[in-house]
Amino acid sequence: MVKIDLCSINELPELLEFINLNWKKEHSLITSRELMNWQHFNKSLNCYNFLMAKDIDSNKILGILGFIPTWQFDESLFENGDIYGAIWKIDDNNPKAIGKGHSLFKELQRLPYYKNFGAIGISRDSIRYMRIINYKVEKLIQYYIINSTCTDFKIAEIQEFSETDTNGSPCNYCLRIIEQLNNLELETAYKPIKTIKYLFNKYQQHPIYNYSFYGIFDNDSIKALFVIRKIELFNSSCLRIIDCIGDLSGIGSLYPEFQKLLKHENAEYIDFYNYGINPSVFQSLGFDFIREDDKNIIPNYFEPFEKKNITLECAFNSTDPDYVFFKGDSDQDRPNLIR
């Protein structure tokens, strides 16, 4: 007999052992309890947002399914029922685990606060499963802007330079750093709904990574907000837009503003993964994008570093036409190496 339930505090050592043996040894969620608690501890239910399938007879874990609700970082989002997927794994060496991946996902759907599901960076097996249950499977587009003054690329590989910035219409907006998110009011145009409190708790309060916040302003009126993480490597650096709220449409070209930011940070480029926003919006902002067999390389993996283009695929069940994915959704911007 198999029991599926949320991971209790007392069961956390068993969960971590399962991840170590069946997913990845010395995984960051194992080596940093602070990271595990920040990402998965459910304060309301006093448990962890991991479903575990356990064999009653042997008391062994057969499979796990981690998830990250948006209300993990802002309790006011609870009624929306938006959940992102995380680690989903069964014990491949235990015959009793066959089919338990499906059982875990069905149990996730039965949770009283489940309404919408999304995940990015999913495996081939997950893609097949999502298609079987008629969830949408799509690809994120990786947009980027190169520092026009950079002549020595150590992170990226640039063989072709774009003239994308000439395509945008004149813009009255500017990029401005936001030191504190407190008292900032901004409505988002996209789903799942995110709030300033969500950004504060997820990014400004992150236990390991440091993020910066940049607003798109028209004088003192804010149109949208970017969450940006700087990565330093090989005595060089790059900028990554990890998340965004507000509305990116109708702004015009921000290419000159991004060039100022890149030069100020001495960064090779800035990139931005997205699914769900019309590519014309990013083109008008001044971004180019990675194509199949592109000669330019804008890496995605840094822990460890891999100098190659990566296609991120996403799956979701929401029928909302404004449903979008950014790099920070699901668990994609989670540290892999705890230094």
Side-chain angles (χ1 to χ4, degrees), residues 20-248:
N20 192 56
L21 293 176
N22 296 277
W23 185 255
K24 182 181 179 182
K25 291 186 179 297
E26 300 300 312
H27 189 278
S28 57
L29 293 180
I30 300 172
T31 57
S32 174
R33 183 64 57 84
E34 188 179 13
L35 180 65
M36 169 62 90
N37 289 340
W38 168 84
Q39 184 166 293
H40 286 289
F41 183 64
N42 188 321
K43 295 179 182 178
S44 300
L45 299 179
N46 202 35
C47 64
Y48 286 88
N49 287 325
F50 267 93
L51 286 168
M52 299 195 308
K54 296 183 76 173
D55 177 33
I56 298 299
D57 296 330
S58 65
N59 201 37
K60 288 186 177 180
I61 299 175
L62 302 177
I64 63 172
L65 173 56
F67 59 96
I68 307 168
T70 56
W71 67 88
Q72 178 78 4
F73 305 106
D74 183 353
E75 62 276 7
S76 72
L77 301 175
F78 181 86
E79 294 298 327
N80 298 335
D82 293 308
I83 290 177
Y84 291 117
I87 297 175
W88 186 16
K89 188 72 176 74
I90 64 168
D91 182 354
D92 295 321
N93 297 315
N94 191 329
K96 292 184 178 181
I98 296 174
K100 298 306 177 288
H102 171 70
S103 300
L104 284 162
F105 198 80
K106 296 300 290 185
E107 190 65 29
L108 177 69
Q109 293 175 310
R110 282 191 283 267
L111 292 176
Y113 40 80
Y114 175 99
K115 291 181 182 178
N116 304 300
F117 175 84
I120 62 175
I122 55 180
S123 67
R124 296 291 97 192
D125 288 341
S126 296
I127 289 173
R128 283 192 291 269
Y129 179 81
M130 292 299 167
R131 285 177 172 152
I132 289 172
I133 64 173
N134 292 320
Y135 279 28
K136 293 182 180 178
V137 176
E138 304 287 351
K139 295 179 180 179
L140 280 75
I141 300 175
Q142 187 182 17
Y143 300 94
Y144 68 98
I145 294 176
I146 298 297
N147 184 339
S148 61
T149 62
C150 184
T151 57
D152 184 15
F153 292 95
K154 298 177 180 177
I155 299 175
E157 184 172 312
I158 305 301
Q159 298 186 28
E160 296 179 345
F161 285 84
S162 171
E163 297 296 330
T164 308
D165 59 302
T166 62
N167 296 332
S169 58
C171 177
N172 295 322
Y173 291 88
C174 66
L175 275 178
R176 198 158 72 220
I177 193 167
I178 300 171
E179 299 292 351
Q180 292 292 332
L181 296 178
N182 298 342
N183 301 320
L184 186 65
E185 294 184 5
L186 180 62
E187 293 184 1
T188 184
Y190 312 115
K191 301 292 179 60
I193 292 176
K194 298 170 183 175
T195 62
I196 294 297
K197 184 176 181 180
Y198 173 94
L199 297 186
F200 176 84
N201 287 324
K202 183 168 185 179
Y203 298 110
Q204 193 158 325
Q205 298 292 94
H206 196 283
I208 295 171
Y209 282 156
N210 293 316
Y211 295 90
S212 299
F213 305 92
Y214 281 83
I216 303 175
F217 285 92
D218 180 8
N219 294 320
D220 291 329
S221 177
I222 186 169
K223 171 81 169 176
L225 185 150
F226 292 134
V227 180
I228 296 178
R229 184 162 67 90
K230 184 175 184 178
I231 297 175
E232 296 179 302
L233 193 68
F234 308 134
N235 292 319
S236 188
S237 68
C238 64
L239 302 177
R240 312 202 72 183
I241 299 176
I242 300 300
D243 213 333
C244 172
I245 66 171
D247 187 356
L248 296 179

Side-chain angles (χ1 to χ4, degrees), residues 244-262:
C244 172
I245 66 171
D247 187 356
L248 296 179
S249 63
I251 292 174
S253 178
L254 284 174
Y255 184 86
E257 293 294 299
F258 281 116
Q259 288 299 328
K260 291 178 186 177
L261 177 61
L262 289 167

